Amino acid sequence: MVKIVVREKDVCWEYADRLEGNKVRCKFCDRILNGGISRLKHHLSRLPSKGVNPCTKVRDDVTERVREIIASKEDSKENSVIKMQKIPEFKSPVAVSISAGKTLMAVESAPLIGKVFSSITSSNSSSRNDHENAERSIALFFFENKLDFSVSRSSSYQQMLDAVRKCGSGFVGPSAEDLKTTWLERIKSEVSLHSKDIEREWAMTGCTIIAETWTDNKSRALINFLVSSPSRTFFHKSVDVSSYYKNIKYLSDLFDSIIQDFGPENVVQIIIDNALNCHGLANHILQNYGSVFVTPCASQCMNGILEEFCKVDWINRCILQAQVVSKYIYNNSSVLDMMKKFTGGQEIIRSGITKAVSNFLSLQSMLKQKSRLKHMFNSPEFSANSSFANKPQTATCVGILDDNEFWRAVEESVAVSEPFLKVMREVSGGKPAVGFIYELMTRAKESIRTYYIMDEIKCKTFLDIVDKKWQNNLHSPLHSAAAFLNPSIQYNPEIKFLGSIKEDFFRVLEKLLPTPELRRDITNQILLFSRGSGMFGCNLAKEAIDTVSPGIWWEQFGDAAPMLQRVAIRILSQVCSTSTFERQWSTFQQIHSEKRNKIDKETLNDLLYINYNLKLEKSLKLISSEVDPLQLDDIDMTSEWVEEAENPSPVQWLDRFGSALEGGDLNTRQFNAAIFGANDHIFNL
């Protein structure tokens, strides 16, 4: 017998009229929406998602109800994922046998690590304990050597365990000398060989040199040089420029040598981050290398926009209020445990790659958990606990969470920031996104206009910030040319190119094709492309626009315009941001230490070369996954969303990581805002 299940009528239909063709009309604002009840829910929730315009007339109680419905569905999905990923528990290391305990007590003169390992050898008689003993040994290895727990998330961690298991019992790992010599040289050669394979594509695609800068708490300035092409990004070298940061001649010579390393004929652009942005250096490169462009980092520009958003009075006030709640929760273990219970184990804040990103990701997270937070603070379970229910801080938090104006501000903050977080995601991670930056910025600005369609003052406030950053920190003729050559933009009937974009495009052509002979037929080739003639207009070309990158599209369908094809491939194959993952601070510090001899420095240089490139390879694999490139795996417990210290200076903030600077890796994405201010040019040029 077949049972027929009929879906129940959605409760949200009471807020809309059903129309023909899967369309609905909102009963509050009379707007007609395509996509049925799902689009209506996002319309009524006033949350920025799926390109749905928020309803301006819906009642707050309806919005609250719809959000709870959406959240309940998302929770059911998240809980299913959590169940799949749950790791089986194992017994605590304390739970050893009585006989083992007697043995440990008897050997008082043995060192602690020996005592702990003796409990393993005395309890391995049963195969039932093998799994626990193995995990115990791994844990002790981490604790003894002060390894960061996040190391266990590395893909090579499990590969190592699998390889050791296949060797069977009695396997002895490589010695320190073997690691330092044989294996360091062998793996460096493998990484270098891979980079040589990538270099072969530069003749067609060209490459981008990326110059990343940072300082440490001893005011040392270093530049990391990387090279990027469509296949991947490689780390090249790290240079200490502390003694020459005011010397344009030295910096110019340094960049000359880097350009020669890769071949001037292969270099399309050099991305210089804000800390190294100086006219003297840029002018030297532009004057001496006619076909090379100097462009700023798009990710840093987006971060600068978000930083300015955070300075808007009502957004800053909203962030400070939200931080009062998060600090109270994360600095009280009982409240934190209760919060995890009410949110199903979910955090209410997020740590991002910069301070500004953390602010807006955390506001998004708190908005998602709004109903659960309010429920917790008003629950009998919370009120009955005298240890925190009657504290002044509790009343403050309740007052904030019950304030509708606060949540309105959170909603607006999330709405105005999300379009620029999206741009930041798209241009990060080593993807050749130079052909999309104009379109992405246009769509982000249009989101602001749509959201503030009834508030011209706020709309102008945010658009002025965006336009100022765009014109002063990001705009490049290369971006204009890439937009013109991108088929998804060129053939979009809704897009009409501004005269300035065409003007930039022609200037770029004159730069890349400097002689009349090279430009002889270029006008006819531009017409073929812009009119979609020949192969440009075939069905395969039209279908491929949305399925392959612009550079590959030109490679496949641009044969009728060979000179324009070569220019288009070289332009559209470039990235527009520096790398976004953690930089190896402690390793850099060790390499550039004056106390180290030449042999040690060479070894550390090799180690850094391998380590950085392995990290880059890992980040490449994450591009296609659902991992947010802007969000860190763990919450930064020293951030302003957790730590209660008042107004720590950047130096004090760095000092908290003294031990990490000596033996661990620091994350540039966490440190960027503290080290580099918006106008802090560390080279004073």
Side-chain angles (χ1 to χ4, degrees):
M1 180 178 178
V2 180
K3 181 185 289 185
I4 300 176
V5 180
V6 180
R7 181 177 293 180
E8 295 181 4
K9 183 178 179 180
D10 199 302
V11 294
C12 289
W13 279 116
E14 65 180 280
Y15 308 128
D17 296 320
R18 190 194 300 267
L19 304 177
E20 293 182 359
N22 200 30
K23 295 182 179 180
V24 295
R25 179 190 289 111
C26 174
K27 290 184 178 180
F28 295 99
C29 65
D30 291 328
R31 182 185 289 271
I32 297 177
L33 305 168
N34 291 315
I37 197 68
S38 177
R39 303 275 286 186
L40 175 73
K41 290 177 183 177
H42 287 88
H43 173 66
L44 296 177
S45 71
R46 297 201 295 249
L47 293 173
S49 61
K50 297 189 177 182
V52 183
N53 293 323
C55 183
T56 57
K57 298 182 180 180
V58 63
R59 301 194 310 271
D60 287 343
D61 62 312
V62 174
T63 295
E64 185 73 22
R65 182 184 183 190
V66 174
R67 286 184 181 175
E68 290 178 356
I69 293 172
I70 294 174
S72 64
K73 289 187 177 181
E74 291 178 348
D75 280 350
S76 62
K77 293 179 182 179
E78 291 176 358
N79 290 335
S80 63
V81 173
I82 292 171
K83 289 179 180 178
M84 292 174 63
Q85 296 179 342
K86 188 174 181 181
I87 301 174
E89 294 182 356
F90 60 93
K91 295 181 180 179
S92 167
V94 178
V96 295
S97 64
I98 297 177
S99 59
K102 292 180 179 178
T103 304
L104 286 170
M105 292 296 291
V107 190
E108 294 181 359
S109 60
L112 176 61
I113 194 71
K115 294 180 182 180
V116 177
F117 273 106
S118 68
S119 68
I120 296 175
T121 57
S122 64
S123 60
N124 64 359
S125 58
S126 172
S127 60
R128 181 175 58 86
N129 292 323
D130 288 348
H131 184 81
E132 180 179 334
N133 289 337
E135 290 194 353
R136 183 187 182 91
S137 298
I138 293 170
L140 287 169
F141 176 74
F142 270 72
F143 303 154
E144 181 187 5
N145 296 283
K146 297 182 291 185
L147 296 180
D148 192 313
F149 297 147
S150 64
V151 170
S152 63
R153 289 196 288 264
S154 167
S155 58
S156 59
Y157 173 69
Q158 188 59 47
Q159 291 174 8
M160 174 188 69
L161 296 178
D162 292 341
V164 171
R165 178 177 55 81
K166 291 179 180 178
C167 293
S169 60
F171 171 76
V172 178
S175 65
E177 188 63 25
D178 289 338
L179 291 171
K180 186 177 181 180
T181 56
T182 304
W183 283 107
L184 190 64
E185 293 174 5
R186 186 180 298 184
I187 294 179
K188 182 191 175 185
S189 297
E190 292 174 1
V191 174
S192 180
L193 189 62
H194 190 191
S195 69
K196 294 297 181 184
D197 292 338
I198 301 298
E199 288 179 18
R200 297 192 183 102
E201 73 180 10
W202 293 353
M204 175 181 287
T205 67
C207 65
T208 292
I209 294 175
I210 300 171
E212 298 179 334
T213 56
W214 61 270
T215 63
D216 62 10
N217 56 350
K218 295 182 180 179
S219 298
R220 285 182 298 187
L222 294 103
I223 305 177
N224 300 324
F225 291 98
L226 301 91
V227 59
S228 180
S229 56
S231 293
R232 63 166 293 179
T233 300
F234 272 94
F235 170 76
H236 182 55
K237 67 162 76 171
S238 176
V239 180
D240 187 346
V241 296
S242 304
S243 302
Y244 310 98
Y245 64 84
K246 292 184 179 180
N247 191 328
I248 295 180
K249 176 66 168 60
Y250 171 83
L251 292 174
S252 299
D253 290 343
L254 173 62
F255 274 78
D256 284 340
S257 69
I258 298 297
I259 292 172
Q260 294 301 323
D261 286 345
F262 302 120
E265 70 281 1
N266 294 320
V267 180
V268 176
Q269 70 169 341
I270 300 176
I271 295 179
I272 300 179
D273 65 23
N274 294 342
L276 190 58
N277 190 9
C278 61
H279 293 294
L281 177 59
N283 288 337
H284 169 82
I285 296 172
L286 295 174
Q287 290 172 7
N288 288 273
Y289 304 95
S291 61
V292 176
F293 294 85
V294 178
T295 57
C297 173
S299 290
Q300 288 191 344
C301 178
M302 294 305 105
N303 188 62
I305 289 173
L306 295 175
E307 285 179 342
E308 292 301 313
F309 284 4
C310 290
K311 296 176 184 177
V312 175
D313 287 342
W314 62 267
I315 291 183
N316 182 53
R317 185 165 56 251
C318 169
I319 291 172
L320 292 175
Q321 287 180 303
Q323 288 175 349
V324 169
V325 177
S326 64
K327 288 176 184 178
Y328 173 71
I329 292 175
Y330 282 90
N331 285 279
N332 189 312
S333 58
S334 299
V335 179
L336 181 60
D337 290 341
M338 188 178 296
M339 182 272 289
K340 293 288 186 69
K341 177 182 176 181
F342 275 80
T343 62
Q346 300 297 303
E347 304 287 355
I348 63 167
I349 60 175
R350 296 285 185 268
S351 290
I353 60 177
T354 68
K355 177 180 175 181
V357 171
S358 296
N359 286 340
F360 290 112
L361 289 181
S362 293
L363 288 179
Q364 284 185 12
S365 183
M366 290 191 71
L367 183 60
K368 182 179 178 181
Q369 302 293 345
K370 172 184 175 181
S371 59
R372 298 170 184 83
L373 282 173
K374 295 178 71 174
H375 186 199
M376 183 190 80
F377 277 94
N378 291 292
S379 67
E381 182 179 353
F382 186 89
S383 302
N385 194 321
S386 58
S387 62
F388 48 77
N390 298 322
K391 287 186 176 181
Q393 299 97 314
T394 302
T396 302
C397 291
V398 171
I400 292 172
L401 296 175
D402 286 342
D403 184 358
N404 289 332
E405 288 301 315
F406 165 72
W407 289 112
R408 284 277 187 184
V410 173
E411 288 177 21
E412 284 193 48
S413 300
V414 171
V416 299
S417 63
E418 178 55 32
F420 298 95
L421 290 172
K422 181 179 180 180
V423 175
M424 206 169 179
R425 291 185 183 99
E426 291 296 323
V427 301
S428 300
K431 294 179 289 186
V434 70
F436 297 96
I437 185 66
Y438 252 102
E439 181 185 16
L440 290 169
M441 287 298 294
T442 300
R443 292 185 183 278
K445 291 170 66 175
E446 191 59 35
S447 296
I448 297 293
R449 293 190 185 96
T450 301
Y451 190 79
Y452 285 121
I453 194 170
M454 304 298 291
D455 193 332
E456 292 184 7
I457 295 177
K458 284 188 176 180
C459 183
K460 185 178 185 303
T461 297
F462 291 107
L463 290 182
D464 284 350
I465 291 173
V466 174
D467 289 338
K468 182 178 179 181
K469 287 291 182 181
W470 170 260
Q471 293 297 329
N472 296 341
N473 298 99
L474 185 58
H475 175 73
S476 167
L478 194 66
H479 297 155
S480 300
F484 188 88
L485 292 168
N486 186 343
S488 67
I489 299 176
Q490 180 68 232
Y491 299 137
N492 187 337
E494 298 180 0
I495 295 177
K496 183 178 180 180
F497 287 110
L498 299 174
S500 59
I501 292 182
K502 282 189 176 182
E503 187 178 335
D504 282 346
F505 169 61
F506 292 140
R507 282 165 47 199
V508 169
L509 280 183
E510 291 179 356
K511 186 178 176 75
L512 296 179
L513 304 174
T515 65
E517 290 75 16
L518 292 173
R519 300 192 295 266
R520 180 174 299 147
D521 193 44
I522 198 66
T523 301
N524 291 330
Q525 294 181 25
I526 294 172
L527 286 174
L528 281 175
F529 167 60
S530 59
R531 292 176 179 177
S533 303
M535 289 179 63
F536 291 120
C538 71
N539 290 331
L540 283 176
K542 293 177 181 178
E543 294 164 0
I545 287 176
D546 297 323
T547 59
V548 299
S549 68
I552 293 177
W553 186 90
W554 268 96
E555 183 181 346
Q556 293 298 316
F557 304 106
D559 293 348
M563 191 56 67
L564 187 62
Q565 180 189 45
R566 181 177 185 274
V567 170
I569 292 174
R570 289 176 71 84
I571 291 175
L572 293 168
S573 298
Q574 308 313 312
V575 297
C576 51
S577 290
T578 57
S579 59
T580 58
F581 66 91
E582 60 200 5
R583 306 174 193 175
Q584 310 307 300
W585 291 73
S586 61
T587 312
F588 292 152
Q589 187 177 17
Q590 293 176 56
I591 286 174
H592 299 290
S593 171
E594 297 177 357
K595 297 180 181 179
R596 296 194 169 271
N597 59 42
K598 185 177 180 181
I599 296 177
D600 283 338
K601 186 170 290 190
E602 289 177 356
T603 299
L604 285 167
N605 266 311
D606 291 345
L607 182 60
L608 174 60
Y609 178 80
I610 294 171
N611 183 271
Y612 209 132
N613 281 307
L614 289 176
K615 295 280 188 180
L616 281 164
E617 185 178 21
K618 179 183 176 182
S619 68
L620 185 67
K621 295 177 181 178
L622 294 177
I623 292 177
S624 59
S625 69
E626 296 182 358
V627 176
D628 187 349
L630 305 185
Q631 183 176 313
L632 305 183
D633 293 330
D634 301 308
I635 290 177
D636 178 9
M637 301 307 288
T638 66
S639 76
E640 295 175 352
W641 287 85
V642 177
E643 192 162 80
E644 292 182 313
E646 296 182 1
N647 300 322
S649 68
V651 175
Q652 293 171 329
W653 193 65
L654 283 166
D655 287 344
R656 298 194 191 100
F657 292 86
S659 59
L661 279 168
E662 296 172 2
D665 294 337
L666 297 185
N667 196 310
T668 290
R669 299 181 297 187
Q670 295 173 341
F671 282 64
N672 191 45
I675 296 173
F676 302 125
N679 300 307
D680 182 13
H681 291 211
I682 62 171
F683 298 106
N684 288 332
L685 297 174

